[in-house]
Amino acid sequence: MWADAVLLLRRHPFQFVISALVLTVAGSLIESAWGWVVTTLVDESDPEPAQLAQLGTLSLLLSLAVFLTVFALTGALQAVLVVQTIVGRPVTIRAALRLLAPRIRAVLGVTALLTVVPQLVLLALIAVLSVFIWQWLSSELDAFLATGGDPVLDSVPPSPSEALIAVAVIVVPTFALLSLVWVVMALALLFAPITAALEPLRFGGAVRRSMLLVGNNLWRIVGIILLNLLIALPIILPLFVPLVLIGSIFSVATADLPSWAQEVMSWPFDLMIAAFIAWQVTVLVLLYIDVRIRQEGLAADLWQRRTAASSGTPDGGAGDPTGDTKNG
């Protein structure tokens, strides 16, 4: 599966990598524009620490939303490209966009879901947990004052280890809960952009279909994703430290340039990120096809379309990337 993904990228680098690059650069431009807005607000209004924290939270959520948007749109486009490769049809971005056009509403709906819902759920959990933590701290302080203690004069400052343990008791479970919720949502919607692109389903049907496919193959999918991360780490880690150093030098060297010039000069880094995203998304599309081949006999449909392509006969599934209508 991983070798097949690399082979697809080698055979069609423009279609897979450049399409991912365009979406990655668009995401970078959005984040750069937001960074300019935040910098302007900070310089002109001199916000309070609480406001800075709010801006930092919004920046983090925006980064997650941009990443999920790039992931969803790249997944939808590359899903069509992968199927066109398998069935022997022309692998071009124009042909993929033509096949994707009838499904654009479902794809955009799934993209909006991935972009908005996880952020809102995390914000709601953060708000609820913050209220509980604040009430707990307030009750502890009230109990201390009720005993006649003075929190300033009579209390003994905790040791660094005690303070660290007290913070860890609150922060670690909170972070674990938020991470667990995010992972569960990500797994449930893992195939949603692909199903929206490849199957004749509306928005809600694509989401339910993704949940069904993941639920029926949960441990296999989790295992392959973990193996995929283990395979990716030896590729990422040797590049991480040099990229950080180069990025730091690059930021200092281009600090006086206009923002658009900095964005253009960062394209080599965006190209590396796009190549990695293209590889990861291609693996995910192949995993989706593997699941359907094992459970639904998709191989017969794909082989029929490939035979038709090799004989030069018209493609009966030209309006449907998978040639599959039983899920409509």
Side-chain angles (χ1 to χ4, degrees):
M1 190 177 298
W2 296 279
D4 289 341
V6 173
L7 183 62
L8 284 174
L9 266 62
R10 287 180 59 187
R11 287 182 177 177
H12 309 285
F14 176 81
Q15 290 85 344
F16 283 91
V17 178
I18 300 302
S19 60
L21 175 63
V22 171
L23 293 171
T24 302
V25 170
S28 298
L29 290 174
I30 293 173
E31 292 194 66
S32 297
W34 173 254
W36 178 81
V37 171
V38 171
T39 302
T40 303
L41 288 175
V42 171
D43 292 341
E44 293 181 355
S45 60
D46 191 20
E48 298 292 330
Q51 295 174 325
L52 288 175
Q54 293 173 356
L55 287 174
T57 302
L58 289 176
S59 298
L60 175 61
L61 294 177
L62 178 66
S63 297
L64 288 173
V66 168
F67 169 77
L68 291 173
T69 301
V70 172
F71 167 79
L73 295 179
T74 303
L77 179 59
Q78 292 190 184
V80 180
L81 291 172
V82 169
V83 172
Q84 292 299 90
T85 304
I86 292 174
V87 301
R89 293 294 174 180
V91 184
T92 63
I93 294 179
R94 177 180 295 181
L97 291 175
R98 179 175 57 83
L99 290 170
L100 197 59
R103 289 163 173 64
I104 194 64
R105 292 180 62 181
V107 170
L108 293 178
V110 167
T111 301
L113 178 70
L114 283 170
T115 301
V116 175
V117 172
Q119 324 310 323
L120 293 179
V121 171
L122 289 182
L123 277 176
L125 283 174
I126 290 173
V128 171
L129 291 172
S130 298
V131 170
F132 278 107
I133 292 172
W134 176 255
Q135 289 180 345
W136 177 75
L137 292 175
S138 299
S139 63
E140 290 292 321
L141 180 60
D142 291 340
F144 180 77
L145 294 175
T147 61
D150 188 324
V152 177
L153 301 178
D154 297 340
S155 61
V156 178
S159 65
S161 60
E162 292 175 339
L164 181 62
I165 292 173
V167 171
V169 167
I170 298 175
V171 172
V172 172
T174 302
F175 179 78
L177 177 60
L178 295 175
S179 301
L180 179 62
V181 171
W182 196 91
V183 168
V184 169
M185 288 189 297
L187 278 175
L189 300 175
L190 185 66
F191 290 142
I194 301 173
T195 55
L198 294 183
E199 301 186 34
L201 300 169
R202 296 183 179 180
F203 163 71
V207 173
R208 290 192 298 271
R209 179 80 167 139
S210 175
M211 293 179 179
L212 179 65
L213 289 173
V214 173
N216 291 339
N217 304 270
L218 180 61
W219 297 116
R220 172 177 170 77
I221 290 173
V222 170
I224 290 178
I225 290 175
L226 292 177
L227 283 175
N228 193 36
L229 293 175
L230 291 177
I231 292 173
L233 282 177
I235 300 174
I236 297 174
L237 290 179
L239 298 174
F240 180 75
V241 175
L243 280 177
V244 170
L245 294 175
I246 294 173
S248 301
I249 297 172
F250 174 81
S251 299
V252 174
T254 61
D256 297 331
L257 293 178
S259 57
W260 64 267
Q262 296 181 29
E263 196 64 41
V264 169
M265 294 183 67
S266 68
W267 279 16
F269 300 99
D270 292 334
L271 181 60
M272 295 181 64
I273 296 173
F276 180 75
I277 291 176
W279 177 48
Q280 294 294 303
V281 171
T282 304
V283 170
L284 184 61
V285 175
L286 292 174
L287 176 59
Y288 160 84
I289 294 175
D290 175 77
V291 167
R292 290 197 59 192
I293 286 175
R294 290 172 180 270
Q295 286 199 337
E296 302 174 356
L298 181 63
D301 296 331
L302 295 176
W303 178 255
Q304 183 179 3
R305 291 190 63 192
R306 186 171 183 86
T307 303
S310 61
S311 63
T313 58
D315 187 359
D320 183 353
T322 61
D324 180 22
T325 58
K326 62 187 176 182
N327 295 311

